[in-house]
Amino acid sequence: MDYRKVLKDKRRIVVKIGTSSLSYPNGRMNFHSIEKLAYVLSVLRRRGMQIILVTSGAIGVGSGRLGLTKRPKELAKKQALAAVGQADLIKIYQKFFEAYNQIVAQVLLTKDVIAIPLRNQNARSTLLRLLEMDIIPIINENDTIATYEIEIGDNDTLSAIVATLIEADLLVILSDIDGLYSADPRMENKAEIIHSVFEITPELEQLASGTGSSFSTGGMVTKISAARLCLKHGIDCLITNGNDPSILFEVLEGKEVVTHFVAKKENLIDHV
Amino acid sequence: MRKKTIVVRIEISTLLDRKGKLSREKLDRLAMVITNLHNSGKHILVVSSGAIVLGAEKLKTQHFIDDQIGMQALAAVGQAELIRWYQRSFDEYSQIIAQVLLTSDIISYPVRVENTRNTFNMLLDMSIIPIINENDPVSTSDIEYDDNYPLALIVAEISNADFIVIKLETNGKYLIIQRGHNKGIIVDGETELQQKIDSYYHVMVHGEELEHAQFPKSIGDISFEQG
């Protein structure tokens, strides 16, 4: 059976885009890429899908704004740059989405949104209401008050948390590689993309720890743990290359080459 | 010497035109006044409401909303608008701003307070003005329609501010509240605002109780006189 067929029926989709897909290797914003993303997501929304975008990039945009050439190491500086950059980032999204008559909303979350039940309920209700109103929520981590979070992995985990929070049908992680490879593609010519994953085994994790992106902080490890969280909640998860966001059209038709983590519906556990 | 730190509290109602829409002119003027105060050597943090109002404006009357969750949704739409407008106006005066969203329960999380304080200090050191608002979409407390004084108070505590300045409805009028005083002074015009704050300077430096001095707990506790 081709498991990719199930993708055609997905209705509520969380799309996560990483810094590497939003910017050039020199750290400056890639407006072309963002514009395409806005186009694709607006079209999907109009086709009747509910779209939630989880974005990274605030620190990068903030650095650009202030003319810094290096990504800062100090936590307080990262947080300050995130506060500058998030304002710019949401403005840029607004601008591009507006061109397609699509209203967006900004929601900044901390990962403990899951741990605090009342806040969980509020965030969930707000997001669901926004979707009902045909608005695309754009989510990022609230870096200013976050502590350790900013250090770990480029919002992959946050995107999986959001997917479980709103009981999404699918999480699509747009990355700078085509998917999970059977070996490190930079080292071995025979490396092939693993198309379907039904279970995250120790071997798979081993494989993931070898491949990583140099630009984003996450690499493959955090993507695998995001996929694991999704599978646990019966949510399918895709990892694919986000260099050209219009790949999403192909992906959702089940056409394009990606790594698909296939959720077993019968093992679905209750929503927390 | 430590720079004076001022929390400027803005209610969106003071920035609306007669039709209830955000007045670009008023916001520009405000950005000028604040930037100028900043340029004169003070640390400024702005606490501004307006996300819900601008969210409603953005969505026009497509949706009738009168419930808590609906307000939170409007706030998520409107905050993006609000910060965009602030950015545009401050850009006119070459001033970089940052967006900081807090929930008022932050006070119960010492680590977050510490992080936020570090972020504020870093921003102020970098000559950036933080524009702060309640993180309404995830807030668990009732959305207070247009009273952000409690948030201004929290920000004043986190940043060890010396003053809270409140923009009043009447154009050009501000209420200055000094830490440790329940009496505020109303000033008319930017020059007077600046002069008053400068003249308070020495009083503050010599005040031994500065560390323990508090701001009035609610806006109702403030009595005021014309400056």
Side-chain angles (χ1 to χ4, degrees):
Chain A
M1 166 179 181
D2 186 354
Y3 293 92
R4 280 182 272 162
K5 279 182 187 154
V6 303
L7 296 174
K8 289 183 180 176
D9 303 321
K10 300 299 179 192
R11 180 154 183 271
R12 185 176 291 170
I13 302 173
V14 177
V15 176
K16 185 260 166 181
I17 189 146
T19 306
S20 60
S21 308
L22 292 173
S23 50
Y24 291 107
N26 64 10
R28 309 292 296 191
M29 298 235 74
N30 183 341
F31 292 121
H32 192 55
S33 182
I34 298 171
E35 183 177 31
K36 266 200 171 161
L37 182 70
Y39 165 70
V40 173
L41 297 185
S42 301
V43 169
L44 292 176
R45 216 280 302 150
R46 229 152 262 169
R47 285 183 187 170
M49 290 172 183
Q50 295 185 324
I51 304 289
I52 300 95
L53 177 62
V54 176
T55 184
S56 306
I59 297 175
V61 175
S63 304
R65 173 91 180 174
L66 296 173
L68 307 183
T69 47
K70 276 187 195 159
R71 202 183 158 93
K73 290 204 171 71
E74 192 191 340
L75 182 61
K77 193 148 199 180
K78 280 189 198 170
Q79 292 178 313
L81 290 174
V84 173
Q86 177 63 29
D88 259 358
L89 188 61
I90 196 68
K91 179 187 73 183
I92 291 161
Y93 275 123
Q94 250 181 341
K95 193 176 179 60
F96 286 120
F97 275 99
E98 236 163 47
Y100 302 104
N101 278 320
Q102 177 60 53
I103 292 178
V104 298
Q106 171 190 241
V107 180
L108 299 185
L109 298 175
T110 43
K111 285 199 195 85
D112 65 3
V113 74
I114 287 295
I116 304 173
L118 187 58
R119 181 151 298 159
N120 171 354
Q121 199 53 45
N122 271 276
R124 177 184 146 82
S125 309
T126 305
L127 289 171
L128 294 180
R129 176 66 69 90
L130 288 166
L131 295 177
E132 270 172 39
M133 293 161 80
D134 295 336
I135 292 165
I136 296 182
I138 300 183
I139 298 173
N140 199 355
E141 185 126 36
N142 196 0
D143 285 324
T144 320
I145 59 164
T147 49
Y148 52 89
E149 291 101 317
I150 206 169
E151 304 285 358
I152 312 171
D154 211 32
N155 281 353
D156 292 326
T157 314
L158 182 69
S159 67
I161 289 173
V162 168
T164 62
L165 184 69
I166 57 159
E167 294 161 87
D169 300 315
L170 177 69
L171 168 64
V172 181
I173 297 180
L174 298 175
S175 170
D176 57 353
I177 52 171
D178 300 329
L180 180 63
Y181 280 89
S182 60
D184 189 336
R186 291 166 302 187
M187 311 291 274
E188 288 184 38
N189 293 333
K190 285 181 188 165
E192 283 180 350
I193 287 186
I194 302 173
H195 295 288
S196 304
V197 175
F198 300 92
E199 196 188 352
I200 295 170
T201 59
E203 291 77 32
L204 200 76
E205 286 181 331
Q206 185 63 39
L207 207 56
S209 63
T211 48
S213 147
S214 55
F215 305 116
S216 58
T217 53
M220 199 41 99
V221 176
T222 54
K223 289 173 182 59
I224 296 290
S225 64
R228 182 191 292 110
L229 185 59
C230 285
L231 291 189
K232 195 176 150 202
H233 291 262
I235 299 165
D236 286 59
C237 176
L238 301 177
I239 297 175
T240 190
N241 196 319
N243 283 349
D244 180 358
S246 56
I247 195 172
L248 269 170
F249 292 134
E250 311 293 316
V251 163
L252 293 173
E253 290 289 318
K255 283 176 191 163
E256 197 56 51
V257 179
V258 298
T259 297
H260 179 186
F261 295 84
V262 188
K264 288 185 213 151
K265 300 300 170 201
E266 63 271 24
N267 287 353
L268 206 150
I269 61 161
D270 289 340
H271 177 75
V272 246
Chain B
M1 200 195 303
R2 181 177 171 268
K3 284 187 179 179
K4 274 164 293 170
T5 302
I6 304 162
V7 173
V8 182
R9 178 227 185 189
I10 307 297
E11 284 189 51
I12 194 69
S13 56
T14 64
L15 294 175
L16 301 178
D17 63 20
R18 284 178 190 184
K19 291 177 185 161
K21 288 194 157 194
L22 184 75
S23 157
R24 198 49 218 281
E25 199 184 329
K26 286 184 181 178
L27 188 58
D28 268 5
R29 187 76 201 168
L30 178 73
M32 191 277 272
V33 172
I34 291 174
T35 304
N36 207 40
L37 207 53
H38 171 262
N39 289 353
S40 76
K42 283 114 189 156
H43 280 154
I44 314 267
L45 303 98
V46 175
V47 174
S48 174
S49 68
I52 295 173
V53 170
L54 294 190
E57 191 181 317
K58 177 88 178 174
L59 296 174
K60 309 216 168 58
T61 44
Q62 279 173 274
H63 306 271
F64 178 74
I65 287 156
D66 65 348
D67 63 312
Q68 169 89 9
I69 297 301
M71 299 281 185
Q72 291 181 303
L74 285 184
V77 173
Q79 177 62 30
E81 290 290 309
L82 183 68
I83 202 68
R84 183 184 193 177
W85 285 112
Y86 267 109
Q87 229 183 8
R88 280 193 193 167
S89 289
F90 276 98
D91 260 354
E92 299 279 322
Y93 306 98
S94 308
Q95 176 60 51
I96 294 179
I97 60 156
Q99 173 191 240
V100 176
L101 299 183
L102 303 176
T103 44
S104 42
D105 64 356
I106 186 171
I107 292 298
S108 350
Y109 301 92
V111 180
R112 291 197 172 170
V113 168
E114 195 53 34
N115 275 298
T116 306
R117 179 174 292 133
N118 291 339
T119 307
F120 282 163
N121 287 340
M122 182 60 77
L123 288 168
L124 298 174
D125 282 350
M126 294 164 86
S127 276
I128 294 163
I129 296 180
I131 311 285
I132 302 148
N133 198 359
E134 180 95 18
N135 195 1
D136 282 326
V138 300
S139 174
T140 50
S141 55
D142 278 352
I143 289 189
E144 304 197 38
Y145 218 117
D146 201 19
D147 179 14
N148 56 359
Y149 184 74
L151 184 63
L153 210 53
I154 289 170
V155 170
E157 288 315 317
I158 296 178
S159 64
N160 285 321
D162 306 290
F163 302 96
I164 295 178
V165 169
I166 297 175
K167 178 171 165 40
L168 301 177
E169 297 271 352
T170 318
N171 273 348
K173 291 211 174 188
Y174 297 87
L175 176 64
I176 305 174
I177 308 159
Q178 202 179 343
R179 185 183 280 274
H181 291 70
N182 277 333
K183 189 174 276 182
I185 304 262
I186 294 174
V187 292
D188 194 356
E190 290 92 63
T191 318
E192 207 183 329
L193 173 66
Q194 195 134 347
Q195 280 170 351
K196 276 287 175 220
I197 283 174
D198 285 335
S199 72
Y200 279 137
Y201 194 62
H202 302 288
V203 181
M204 295 301 297
V205 172
H206 296 300
E208 292 214 331
E209 290 157 21
L210 179 63
E211 290 297 310
H212 305 290
Q214 302 285 315
F215 284 105
K217 284 286 165 258
S218 90
I219 202 90
D221 296 340
I222 308 166
S223 62
F224 38 84
E225 60 185 39
Q226 299 288 335

